[in-house]
Amino acid sequence: MPGMPITICASLACADYLHLETDLRALEAAGVEYLHIDVMDGTFVPNLALGTDLIRAVKQATTIPLDVHLMIERPERYLETFAKLGAEILTVHLEASLHLQRTLAAIRQLGMRAGVALNPATPLDGLQYVLDDLDLILVMTVNPGFVGQKLVPSTLRKIREARALVDAHNLAAHIQVDGNVSFTNAKLMAAEGADYLVGGTSSLFMPGITIADAVQKLRQS
Ligand code: DX5
Ligand code: ZN
């Protein structure tokens, strides 16, 4: 999508945990729009990550708004928790919330923007009747749970179809991509209509390039 403004969401799970403050200052200086925070429960995904105490500390330490991605079963149990932690965007998985419309309405009611994430194998069909209730569609471009994986190619087609769905209904919803958003893949993903890019080990947090240079390179790509 030429000309569409790109929003960069830096993945906290890929930052240097022993020097988090240094990375936060670099991300602020580079002007990234969001800090993307992956929360994993060991059940929805086979991994555990980023708990509430860490998020609280990070929120106090930075001015970058928080974009929280819940990879947890029955996320409706924790909406208030993340509202209190100061999340600006709260994304739940379509596969994990049985009463999705209620969950999305509750997220908005709590003053956050509501996102829905889809695993690579999940079709867009489940979004048909919640299009008015969401602010963001997160197209997972790898299977969630681990950093450093390879792009699942069929997800590029899903990005295009998600963009078509949003445009067909004249919605302002954003299309976010998460997983292996390398400089090369970012170009392909943006061309298909993604406008929120999650930068992890494939772009923003790589050896041999500073965060400042990586952010600039990601915007250019
Ligand atoms: C998926 C992971 C990645 C993460 C890291 O659950 O959470 O999406 O953002 O990005 P990469 O794939 O670049 O390491
Ligand atoms: Zn994520």
Side-chain angles (χ1 to χ4, degrees):
M1 287 259 139
M4 200 167 47
I6 289 299
T7 294
I8 295 187
C9 313
S11 180
L12 186 67
C14 303
D16 181 351
Y17 291 167
L18 294 182
H19 303 93
L20 260 191
E21 191 156 20
T22 310
D23 278 6
L24 289 174
R25 294 290 96 83
L27 292 166
E28 285 165 3
V32 305
E33 285 84 359
Y34 286 98
L35 207 53
H36 181 86
I37 300 185
D38 285 322
V39 178
M40 308 187 189
D41 67 353
T43 303
F44 182 70
V45 288
N47 201 358
L48 294 159
L50 306 191
T52 49
D53 290 338
L54 174 74
I55 298 171
R56 192 172 295 110
V58 164
K59 176 70 188 169
Q60 279 166 10
T62 185
T63 53
I64 308 174
L66 307 186
D67 158 35
V68 178
H69 174 193
L70 297 182
M71 284 169 264
I72 68 176
E73 291 289 353
R74 297 198 290 124
E76 54 278 359
R77 295 172 293 161
Y78 291 102
L79 307 183
E80 265 186 60
T81 302
F82 288 96
K84 284 190 185 136
L85 284 169
E88 183 167 319
I89 303 174
L90 191 62
T91 296
V92 299
H93 267 263
L94 174 61
E95 308 85 355
S97 186
L98 188 56
H99 304 288
L100 184 63
Q101 195 281 334
R102 178 187 288 154
T103 303
L104 297 175
I107 292 172
R108 282 182 166 175
Q109 192 70 36
L110 288 163
M112 299 174 286
R113 292 203 286 150
V116 180
L118 298 96
N119 287 334
T122 305
L124 288 166
D125 308 23
L127 296 180
Q128 280 294 346
Y129 301 104
V130 290
L131 286 173
D132 291 329
D133 302 293
L134 56 82
D135 301 293
L136 178 142
I137 300 171
L138 198 187
V139 177
M140 285 302 307
T141 42
V142 300
N143 286 292
F146 301 96
V147 305
Q149 304 180 81
K150 285 275 155 271
L151 171 77
V152 176
S154 64
T155 60
L156 288 175
R157 181 158 53 90
K158 196 193 291 183
I159 298 166
R160 189 188 324 151
E161 289 168 4
R163 171 54 61 193
L165 185 65
V166 163
D167 289 352
H169 289 81
N170 278 320
L171 301 172
H174 296 284
I175 312 287
Q176 187 177 46
V177 282
D178 187 8
N180 197 202
V181 184
S182 63
F183 301 116
T184 310
N185 289 340
K187 201 175 205 164
L188 304 174
M189 292 162 173
E192 300 293 5
D195 61 340
Y196 273 43
L197 308 181
V198 176
T201 62
S202 311
S203 57
L204 300 190
F205 303 96
M206 284 203 309
I209 181 166
T210 64
I211 286 176
D213 288 347
V215 168
Q216 203 184 0
K217 196 169 166 188
L218 189 58
R219 281 198 204 284
Q220 282 164 358
S221 69

Coordinates of all heavy atoms in Angstrom, one line a residue, residues 12-70:
L12 N 9.2 -6.0 23.0 CA 9.9 -6.0 24.2 C 10.6 -7.3 24.5 O 11.7 -7.4 25.1 CB 9.0 -5.6 25.4 CG 9.7 -5.4 26.8 CD1 10.6 -4.2 26.8 CD2 8.6 -5.3 27.9
A13 N 10.0 -8.4 24.1 CA 10.5 -9.8 24.3 C 11.8 -10.0 23.6 O 12.6 -10.9 24.0 CB 9.5 -10.8 23.8
C14 N 12.2 -9.1 22.7 CA 13.4 -9.2 21.9 C 14.5 -8.2 22.4 O 15.6 -8.2 21.9 CB 13.1 -9.0 20.5 SG 11.9 -10.1 19.8
A15 N 14.1 -7.4 23.4 CA 15.1 -6.4 23.9 C 16.1 -7.1 24.8 O 16.0 -8.3 25.1 CB 14.4 -5.3 24.7
D16 N 17.2 -6.4 25.2 CA 18.2 -6.9 26.0 C 17.8 -6.8 27.5 O 17.8 -5.7 28.1 CB 19.5 -6.0 25.8 CG 20.7 -6.5 26.6 OD1 20.5 -7.3 27.5 OD2 21.8 -6.0 26.3
Y17 N 17.3 -7.9 28.1 CA 16.8 -7.9 29.4 C 17.7 -7.3 30.5 O 17.3 -6.7 31.5 CB 16.3 -9.3 29.8 CG 15.1 -9.8 29.1 CD1 14.8 -11.1 29.1 CD2 14.3 -9.0 28.3 CE1 13.7 -11.7 28.4 CE2 13.3 -9.5 27.5 CZ 13.0 -10.8 27.6 OH 11.9 -11.3 26.9
L18 N 19.0 -7.5 30.3 CA 19.9 -7.0 31.3 C 20.2 -5.5 31.1 O 20.9 -4.9 32.0 CB 21.2 -7.8 31.2 CG 21.1 -9.3 31.6 CD1 22.4 -10.0 31.6 CD2 20.5 -9.4 33.0
H19 N 19.8 -4.9 30.0 CA 20.0 -3.5 29.8 C 18.7 -2.9 29.2 O 18.8 -2.1 28.2 CB 21.2 -3.2 28.8 CG 22.5 -3.8 29.3 ND1 22.9 -5.1 28.9 CD2 23.4 -3.4 30.1 CE1 24.0 -5.4 29.5 NE2 24.4 -4.4 30.2
L20 N 17.6 -3.2 29.8 CA 16.3 -2.8 29.3 C 16.2 -1.3 29.2 O 15.7 -0.7 28.2 CB 15.2 -3.3 30.2 CG 14.4 -4.5 29.8 CD1 13.2 -4.7 30.6 CD2 14.0 -4.5 28.3
E21 N 16.7 -0.6 30.2 CA 16.6 0.9 30.2 C 17.3 1.5 29.0 O 16.8 2.4 28.4 CB 17.1 1.5 31.5 CG 16.7 2.9 31.6 CD 16.6 3.4 33.1 OE1 17.2 2.8 34.0 OE2 16.0 4.5 33.3
T22 N 18.5 1.0 28.7 CA 19.2 1.5 27.6 C 18.4 1.3 26.3 O 18.3 2.2 25.4 CB 20.6 0.7 27.4 OG1 21.2 0.6 28.7 CG2 21.5 1.3 26.4
D23 N 17.8 0.1 26.1 CA 17.0 -0.2 24.9 C 15.8 0.8 24.9 O 15.4 1.3 23.8 CB 16.6 -1.6 24.9 CG 17.7 -2.5 24.3 OD1 18.8 -2.0 24.1 OD2 17.4 -3.7 24.1
L24 N 15.2 1.0 26.0 CA 14.0 1.8 26.1 C 14.3 3.3 25.6 O 13.6 3.9 24.8 CB 13.3 1.9 27.5 CG 12.6 0.6 27.9 CD1 12.2 0.7 29.4 CD2 11.4 0.3 27.0
R25 N 15.5 3.8 26.1 CA 15.9 5.1 25.7 C 16.2 5.2 24.2 O 15.8 6.2 23.6 CB 17.2 5.5 26.5 CG 17.0 5.7 28.0 CD 16.1 6.9 28.5 NE 14.8 6.5 28.7 CZ 14.3 6.0 29.9 NH1 15.1 5.8 30.9 NH2 13.0 5.7 30.0
A26 N 16.8 4.1 23.7 CA 17.1 4.1 22.3 C 15.8 4.1 21.4 O 15.7 4.7 20.4 CB 18.0 2.9 21.9
L27 N 14.9 3.3 21.9 CA 13.6 3.2 21.2 C 12.8 4.5 21.2 O 12.2 5.0 20.2 CB 12.7 2.1 21.7 CG 13.3 0.7 21.5 CD1 12.5 -0.3 22.4 CD2 13.1 0.2 20.1
E28 N 12.9 5.2 22.4 CA 12.3 6.5 22.5 C 12.9 7.5 21.5 O 12.2 8.2 20.8 CB 12.4 7.1 23.9 CG 11.4 6.4 24.9 CD 11.8 6.6 26.4 OE1 12.8 7.4 26.6 OE2 11.1 6.0 27.2
A29 N 14.3 7.5 21.5 CA 15.0 8.5 20.7 C 14.7 8.2 19.2 O 14.6 9.1 18.4 CB 16.5 8.4 21.0
A30 N 14.5 6.9 18.9 CA 14.3 6.6 17.5 C 12.8 6.8 17.1 O 12.4 6.7 15.9 CB 14.6 5.1 17.3
G31 N 12.0 7.1 18.1 CA 10.6 7.5 17.8 C 9.7 6.4 17.4 O 8.7 6.5 16.7
V32 N 9.9 5.2 18.0 CA 9.0 4.1 17.7 C 7.6 4.4 18.4 O 7.6 5.0 19.4 CB 9.5 2.7 18.2 CG1 10.8 2.4 17.6 CG2 9.5 2.6 19.7
E33 N 6.6 4.0 17.7 CA 5.2 4.5 18.1 C 4.7 3.6 19.3 O 3.9 4.1 20.1 CB 4.2 4.4 17.0 CG 4.4 5.5 16.0 CD 5.5 5.3 14.9 OE1 6.1 4.3 14.9 OE2 5.7 6.2 14.1
Y34 N 5.0 2.3 19.4 CA 4.5 1.4 20.4 C 5.6 0.5 20.9 O 6.5 0.1 20.2 CB 3.3 0.6 19.9 CG 2.1 1.4 19.7 CD1 1.7 1.9 18.5 CD2 1.2 1.7 20.8 CE1 0.5 2.6 18.3 CE2 0.1 2.4 20.7 CZ -0.3 2.9 19.4 OH -1.4 3.6 19.3
L35 N 5.4 0.1 22.1 CA 6.2 -1.0 22.7 C 5.2 -2.2 22.7 O 4.2 -2.2 23.3 CB 6.6 -0.7 24.1 CG 7.8 -1.3 24.7 CD1 9.0 -1.1 23.8 CD2 8.1 -0.7 26.1
H36 N 5.6 -3.2 21.9 CA 4.8 -4.4 21.7 C 5.2 -5.4 22.8 O 6.3 -5.8 22.9 CB 5.0 -5.0 20.3 CG 4.1 -6.2 20.1 ND1 2.9 -6.2 19.6 CD2 4.4 -7.6 20.2 CE1 2.4 -7.4 19.4 NE2 3.3 -8.3 19.8
I37 N 4.2 -5.8 23.6 CA 4.5 -6.7 24.8 C 3.8 -8.0 24.6 O 2.5 -8.1 24.7 CB 4.1 -6.0 26.1 CG1 4.9 -4.7 26.2 CG2 4.3 -6.9 27.3 CD1 4.7 -3.9 27.4
D38 N 4.5 -9.1 24.4 CA 4.0 -10.4 24.3 C 3.8 -11.1 25.7 O 4.8 -11.3 26.4 CB 5.0 -11.3 23.5 CG 4.9 -10.9 22.0 OD1 3.8 -10.7 21.5 OD2 6.0 -10.9 21.4
V39 N 2.6 -11.5 26.0 CA 2.3 -12.1 27.2 C 1.9 -13.6 26.9 O 0.9 -13.8 26.1 CB 1.1 -11.4 28.0 CG1 0.8 -12.2 29.3 CG2 1.5 -10.0 28.3
M40 N 2.6 -14.5 27.4 CA 2.4 -16.0 27.1 C 2.1 -16.7 28.4 O 2.8 -16.5 29.4 CB 3.7 -16.5 26.4 CG 4.1 -15.7 25.2 SD 5.5 -16.5 24.4 CE 6.0 -15.2 23.2
D41 N 1.1 -17.7 28.3 CA 0.7 -18.4 29.5 C 1.1 -19.8 29.6 O 0.8 -20.5 30.5 CB -0.8 -18.3 29.6 CG -1.6 -19.1 28.5 OD1 -0.9 -19.6 27.6 OD2 -2.8 -19.2 28.6
G42 N 1.9 -20.3 28.6 CA 2.3 -21.7 28.7 C 1.3 -22.7 28.3 O 1.5 -23.9 28.3
T43 N 0.0 -22.2 28.0 CA -1.1 -23.1 27.6 C -1.5 -22.8 26.2 O -1.5 -23.6 25.3 CB -2.2 -22.9 28.6 OG1 -1.8 -23.2 29.9 CG2 -3.4 -23.9 28.3
F44 N -1.9 -21.5 26.0 CA -2.3 -21.1 24.6 C -1.1 -21.3 23.7 O -1.2 -21.7 22.5 CB -2.8 -19.7 24.6 CG -3.2 -19.3 23.2 CD1 -4.4 -19.8 22.6 CD2 -2.5 -18.4 22.5 CE1 -4.7 -19.5 21.3 CE2 -2.8 -18.0 21.2 CZ -4.0 -18.6 20.6
V45 N 0.1 -20.9 24.2 CA 1.4 -21.1 23.5 C 2.3 -21.9 24.4 O 2.2 -21.7 25.6 CB 2.0 -19.8 23.0 CG1 1.3 -19.1 21.9 CG2 2.2 -18.8 24.2
P46 N 3.2 -22.7 23.8 CA 4.1 -23.5 24.7 C 5.3 -22.7 25.2 O 6.4 -23.2 25.1 CB 4.5 -24.6 23.7 CG 4.5 -24.0 22.4 CD 3.4 -22.9 22.4
N47 N 5.0 -21.6 25.8 CA 6.1 -20.8 26.3 C 5.5 -19.8 27.4 O 4.3 -19.6 27.4 CB 6.8 -20.0 25.2 CG 8.2 -19.5 25.5 OD1 8.7 -19.7 26.6 ND2 8.8 -18.8 24.6
L48 N 6.4 -19.3 28.2 CA 6.0 -18.4 29.3 C 6.7 -17.1 29.0 O 7.9 -17.1 28.8 CB 6.3 -18.9 30.7 CG 5.5 -20.1 31.1 CD1 6.3 -20.8 32.2 CD2 4.2 -19.8 31.6
A49 N 6.0 -15.9 29.1 CA 6.8 -14.7 28.9 C 6.1 -13.5 29.5 O 4.8 -13.5 29.7 CB 7.0 -14.4 27.5
L50 N 6.8 -12.5 29.8 CA 6.5 -11.1 30.2 C 5.3 -11.0 31.1 O 4.1 -10.9 30.7 CB 6.3 -10.3 28.9 CG 7.5 -10.3 28.0 CD1 7.4 -9.2 26.9 CD2 8.9 -10.1 28.7
G51 N 5.6 -11.0 32.4 CA 4.6 -10.9 33.5 C 4.2 -9.4 33.8 O 4.8 -8.5 33.4
T52 N 3.2 -9.3 34.7 CA 2.7 -8.0 35.0 C 3.6 -7.1 35.8 O 3.6 -5.9 35.6 CB 1.4 -8.2 35.8 OG1 1.6 -9.1 36.9 CG2 0.2 -8.7 35.0
D53 N 4.5 -7.7 36.6 CA 5.4 -6.9 37.4 C 6.4 -6.2 36.4 O 6.8 -5.0 36.6 CB 6.2 -7.7 38.4 CG 5.3 -8.1 39.6 OD1 4.2 -7.5 39.8 OD2 5.6 -9.1 40.2
L54 N 6.9 -6.9 35.5 CA 7.8 -6.3 34.5 C 7.1 -5.2 33.7 O 7.7 -4.1 33.5 CB 8.3 -7.4 33.5 CG 9.2 -6.8 32.4 CD1 10.6 -6.4 32.9 CD2 9.3 -7.8 31.2
I55 N 5.9 -5.5 33.3 CA 5.1 -4.5 32.5 C 4.9 -3.2 33.3 O 5.1 -2.1 32.8 CB 3.8 -5.1 32.0 CG1 4.1 -6.3 31.1 CG2 3.0 -4.0 31.3 CD1 2.8 -7.1 30.7
R56 N 4.6 -3.4 34.6 CA 4.4 -2.2 35.5 C 5.7 -1.4 35.5 O 5.7 -0.2 35.4 CB 4.0 -2.7 36.9 CG 3.5 -1.6 37.8 CD 2.9 -2.1 39.1 NE 1.7 -2.9 38.9 CZ 1.7 -4.2 39.1 NH1 2.7 -4.9 39.5 NH2 0.5 -4.9 38.8
A57 N 6.8 -2.1 35.7 CA 8.1 -1.3 35.8 C 8.4 -0.6 34.5 O 8.9 0.5 34.5 CB 9.2 -2.3 36.1
V58 N 8.2 -1.3 33.4 CA 8.4 -0.7 32.0 C 7.5 0.5 31.8 O 8.0 1.5 31.3 CB 8.3 -1.8 30.9 CG1 8.2 -1.2 29.6 CG2 9.4 -2.8 31.0
K59 N 6.3 0.4 32.2 CA 5.3 1.5 32.0 C 5.8 2.7 32.7 O 5.7 3.8 32.2 CB 3.9 1.0 32.5 CG 2.9 2.1 32.4 CD 2.5 2.5 31.0 CE 1.6 3.7 30.9 NZ 1.4 4.2 29.6
Q60 N 6.3 2.5 33.9 CA 6.8 3.6 34.7 C 8.1 4.2 34.1 O 8.4 5.4 34.3 CB 7.1 3.2 36.2 CG 5.8 3.2 37.0 CD 6.0 2.4 38.3 OE1 7.1 2.1 38.7 NE2 4.8 2.1 39.0
A61 N 8.8 3.4 33.4 CA 10.1 3.9 32.9 C 10.1 4.5 31.5 O 11.1 5.0 31.0 CB 11.1 2.7 32.9
T62 N 9.0 4.4 30.8 CA 9.0 4.9 29.4 C 7.7 5.7 29.1 O 6.7 5.4 29.7 CB 9.2 3.7 28.4 OG1 9.3 4.3 27.1 CG2 8.0 2.8 28.4
T63 N 7.8 6.5 28.1 CA 6.7 7.3 27.6 C 6.1 6.6 26.4 O 5.0 7.0 25.9 CB 7.1 8.7 27.2 OG1 8.2 8.6 26.3 CG2 7.5 9.5 28.4
I64 N 6.7 5.5 25.9 CA 6.2 4.8 24.7 C 4.9 4.1 25.1 O 4.9 3.3 26.0 CB 7.2 3.8 24.1 CG1 8.6 4.5 23.9 CG2 6.7 3.2 22.8 CD1 9.7 3.5 23.5
P65 N 3.8 4.3 24.3 CA 2.5 3.6 24.6 C 2.7 2.1 24.5 O 3.5 1.6 23.7 CB 1.6 4.2 23.6 CG 2.2 5.4 23.0 CD 3.7 5.2 23.2
L66 N 1.9 1.4 25.3 CA 2.0 -0.1 25.3 C 1.0 -0.7 24.4 O -0.2 -0.4 24.5 CB 1.9 -0.6 26.8 CG 2.8 0.0 27.8 CD1 2.6 -0.7 29.2 CD2 4.3 0.0 27.4
D67 N 1.4 -1.7 23.6 CA 0.6 -2.5 22.7 C 0.8 -3.9 23.2 O 1.8 -4.5 23.0 CB 1.1 -2.3 21.3 CG 0.8 -3.4 20.4 OD1 -0.3 -3.9 20.5 OD2 1.6 -3.7 19.5
V68 N -0.3 -4.4 24.0 CA -0.1 -5.7 24.7 C -0.8 -6.8 23.9 O -2.0 -6.7 23.5 CB -0.7 -5.6 26.1 CG1 -0.6 -7.0 26.8 CG2 0.1 -4.6 26.9
H69 N -0.1 -7.8 23.6 CA -0.5 -9.0 22.8 C -0.7 -10.2 23.7 O 0.3 -10.7 24.1 CB 0.5 -9.2 21.7 CG 0.2 -10.5 20.9 ND1 1.2 -11.0 20.0 CD2 -0.8 -11.2 20.7 CE1 0.7 -12.0 19.4 NE2 -0.5 -12.2 19.8
L70 N -1.9 -10.5 24.0 CA -2.2 -11.6 25.0 C -2.2 -12.9 24.2 O -3.2 -13.2 23.5 CB -3.5 -11.4 25.7 CG -3.6 -10.1 26.6 CD1 -4.9 -10.1 27.3 CD2 -2.4 -10.1 27.6

